[in-house]
């Protein structure tokens, strides 16, 4: 796999488990590895049984982890705009914009874009410090939105920038008279943030679609819905020129099961395994069995064996 590896998949299929096990595998091979969680329901800390949080934490030699806190990132982002704004616009407008920013901070979607911001920063800034960056994402819908964001936001950003310029013209009356409109626009913190973001997004899009740098791995269980969701996700990502080479089939039942109930489950599973092998015949399939306990640091090593031989 490549230097940046994203793990995606439906809720509860084992993204956090698989990404942690893969991070463990990379570390065992000697890679300096950073494992990042973008999931608001933090779960790396459950597996590693320790507080991780939004500071890079060393778990073991060469294995580092980091959890993006959407609320914290959202607050930081908005405070930063507020701070920049104060010297440029009149106090009345500051109040109004602050009100709007505060409303934006609690609106749905703002956490998501704050997570995306942080992720961009990690992708752009930390690449040089690690041999591997592994990203444990939130369930599929969220991940796809996150990944298609640069693509979607490109056009949207342009519109926002235009709108902001228009709004600035309306603010002209209320701004200090000795300043020319052009210089006001130039110094507008909202506009410069938007332009900044646009530039970063273009860079991120370039990175994400670089098949030599990034791998996307989908985790699924041999069951109906995860298969359907994976098919859709693979197709969507391919539209963005992002190609998936590996799939992880997690929670596979033991070959020998006892009792009618488990025999029936296993038969059903066999049927879905055949379907997966058929539909995704061009992908490398990594198979991980269901283990008889919760996934924790102790059995990560065991699960990481299933990545044996994988780069
Ligand atoms: N191979 C396995 N054997 C046994 N239990 C497993 C296995 N894989 C995952 N689990 C358990 O299933 C649950 C969900 O796994 P995990 O948290 O890795 O999924 P997820 O896809 O990250 O979930 P979410 O979408 O909520 O982030 C956890 O309790 C985990 O311990
Ligand atoms: Mg998870």
């Amino acid at each position: 796999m490549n230097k940046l590896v994203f793990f995606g998949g439906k809720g509860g299929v084992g993204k956090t488990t698989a990404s942690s096990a893969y991070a463990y595998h990379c570390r065992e091979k000697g890679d300096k590895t950073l494992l990042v969680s973008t999931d608001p329901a933090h779960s790396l800390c459950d597996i590693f049984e320790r507080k991780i949080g939004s500071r890079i934490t060393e778990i073991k030699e060469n294995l580092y982890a980091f959890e993006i806190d959407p609320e914290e990132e959202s607050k930081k982002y908005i405070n930063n705009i507020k701070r920049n704004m104060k010297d440029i616009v009149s106090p009345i407008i500051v109040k109004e914009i602050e009100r709007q920013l505060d409303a934006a901070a609690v609106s749905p979607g703002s956490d998501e874009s704050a997570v995306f911001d942080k992720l961009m920063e990690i992708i752009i800034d930390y690449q040089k410090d690690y041999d591997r960056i592994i990203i444990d994402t939130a369930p599929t819908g969220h991940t796809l939105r996150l990944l298609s964001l640069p693509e979607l936001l490109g056009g949207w950003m342009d519109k926002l920038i235009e709108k902001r310029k228009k709004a600035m013209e309306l603010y002209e009356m209320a701004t200090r008279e000795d300043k020319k409109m052009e210089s006001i626009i130039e110094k507008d913190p909202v506009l410069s943030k938007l332009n900044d973001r646009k530039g970063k997004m273009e860079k991120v899009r370039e990175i994400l679609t670089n098949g030599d740098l990034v791998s996307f791995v989908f985790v699924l269980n041999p069951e109906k819905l995860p298969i359907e969701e994976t098919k859709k996700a693979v197709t969507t990502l391919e539209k963005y020129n992002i190609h998936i080479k590996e799939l992880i089939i997690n929670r596979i039942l033991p070959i020998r099961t006892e009792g009618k109930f488990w025999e029936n489950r296993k038969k059903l599973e066999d049927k879905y395994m055949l379907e997966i092998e058929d539909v995704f015949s061009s992908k490398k399939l990594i198979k991980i069995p269901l283990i008889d306990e919760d996934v924790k640091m102790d059995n990560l090593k065991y699960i990481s064996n299933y990545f044996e031989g994988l780069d």
Side-chain angles (χ1 to χ4, degrees):
M1 289 205 241
N2 288 320
K3 178 162 188 173
L4 292 173
V5 189
F6 284 82
F7 282 76
K10 199 173 159 29
V13 290
K15 298 176 291 298
T16 304
T17 300
S19 50
S20 303
Y22 180 64
Y24 195 93
H25 166 77
C26 292
R27 179 227 166 236
E28 294 282 284
K29 283 195 304 141
D31 289 351
K32 185 176 175 194
T33 304
L34 176 64
L35 175 61
V36 183
S37 163
T38 66
D39 190 343
H42 295 163
S43 36
L44 293 182
C45 54
D46 293 341
I47 290 189
F48 295 111
E49 293 176 281
R50 56 177 293 173
K51 191 172 176 298
I52 294 174
S54 50
R55 274 216 178 85
I56 294 180
T57 308
E58 184 174 14
I59 306 267
K60 248 174 179 296
E61 196 191 345
N62 270 344
L63 178 61
Y64 298 81
F66 177 89
E67 290 176 324
I68 298 178
D69 179 341
E71 236 173 77
E72 190 183 319
E73 292 308 323
S74 189
K75 263 191 219 138
K76 259 198 249 164
Y77 180 67
I78 285 179
N79 284 339
N80 196 20
I81 299 185
K82 280 185 184 169
R83 236 190 342 267
N84 287 347
M85 189 176 62
K86 289 221 163 85
D87 341 318
I88 305 167
V89 284
S90 77
I92 301 168
I93 293 173
V94 169
K95 276 252 143 43
E96 179 50 33
I97 299 182
E98 275 189 348
R99 238 199 316 276
Q100 287 180 19
L101 287 172
D102 286 337
V106 293
S107 75
S110 99
D111 279 4
E112 201 173 53
S113 69
V115 167
F116 186 74
D117 251 40
K118 190 68 195 172
L119 199 57
M120 289 198 282
E121 190 185 310
I122 291 167
I123 290 175
I124 294 169
D125 298 347
Y126 297 1
Q127 249 187 81
K128 58 180 184 332
D129 302 327
Y130 294 90
D131 302 315
R132 265 323 150 155
I133 300 181
I134 296 166
I135 299 143
D136 167 30
T137 69
T140 319
H142 184 103
T143 314
L144 286 184
R145 260 201 314 284
L146 207 67
L147 298 177
S148 54
L149 226 48
E151 187 73 38
L152 298 174
L153 289 189
W156 184 68
M157 278 282 164
D158 286 337
K159 278 196 201 116
L160 261 186
I161 289 170
E162 257 327 290
K163 259 201 179 145
R164 179 68 193 166
K165 278 189 182 157
K166 288 233 168 72
M168 290 296 293
E169 278 159 24
L170 296 176
Y171 285 148
E172 188 179 15
M173 305 283 282
T175 48
R176 293 173 213 160
E177 282 173 22
D178 56 340
K179 289 198 179 172
K180 281 231 157 14
M181 194 57 214
E182 263 164 45
S183 81
I184 293 169
I185 286 184
E186 225 167 75
K187 286 189 186 142
D188 176 34
V190 181
L191 260 186
S192 90
K193 266 281 165 203
L194 287 175
N195 273 322
D196 241 34
R197 245 172 105 77
K198 193 171 168 241
K200 263 199 209 165
M201 270 178 192
E202 273 157 13
K203 198 158 176 195
V204 168
R205 175 169 41 191
E206 223 178 272
I207 294 175
L208 291 182
T209 51
N210 179 348
D212 295 327
L213 183 64
V214 184
S215 298
F216 288 93
V217 185
F218 267 93
V219 184
L220 69 157
N221 303 137
E223 287 166 16
K224 191 173 168 52
L225 290 180
I227 296 175
E228 292 307 317
E229 192 153 326
T230 308
K231 281 189 209 164
K232 266 195 238 148
V234 168
T235 316
T236 310
L237 282 179
E238 282 180 351
K239 265 194 223 140
Y240 292 106
N241 251 331
I242 294 173
H243 300 280
I244 282 124
K245 296 203 187 85
E246 291 94 0
L247 294 180
I248 294 174
I249 331 277
N250 185 32
R251 293 171 150 266
I252 299 175
L253 294 173
I255 294 172
R256 289 184 40 183
T257 49
E258 266 174 41
K260 199 75 202 139
F261 177 84
W262 289 111
E263 267 173 38
N264 287 343
R265 283 302 308 183
K266 188 63 186 168
K267 265 195 210 136
L268 197 59
E269 188 186 271
D270 286 344
K271 177 179 105 132
Y272 286 125
M273 286 302 279
L274 283 176
E275 184 180 343
I276 293 171
E277 275 159 17
D278 180 41
V279 178
F280 300 112
S281 58
S282 62
K283 319 276 179 219
K284 182 174 173 53
L285 304 177
I286 299 154
K287 297 173 184 170
I288 300 180
L290 177 72
I291 61 170
D292 63 1
E293 47 190 1
D294 280 339
V295 180
K296 295 274 177 238
M297 190 71 178
D298 310 338
N299 41 38
L300 261 195
K301 187 171 168 53
Y302 169 73
I303 296 181
S304 76
N305 288 333
Y306 290 89
F307 290 96
E308 198 56 57
L310 201 75
D311 189 19

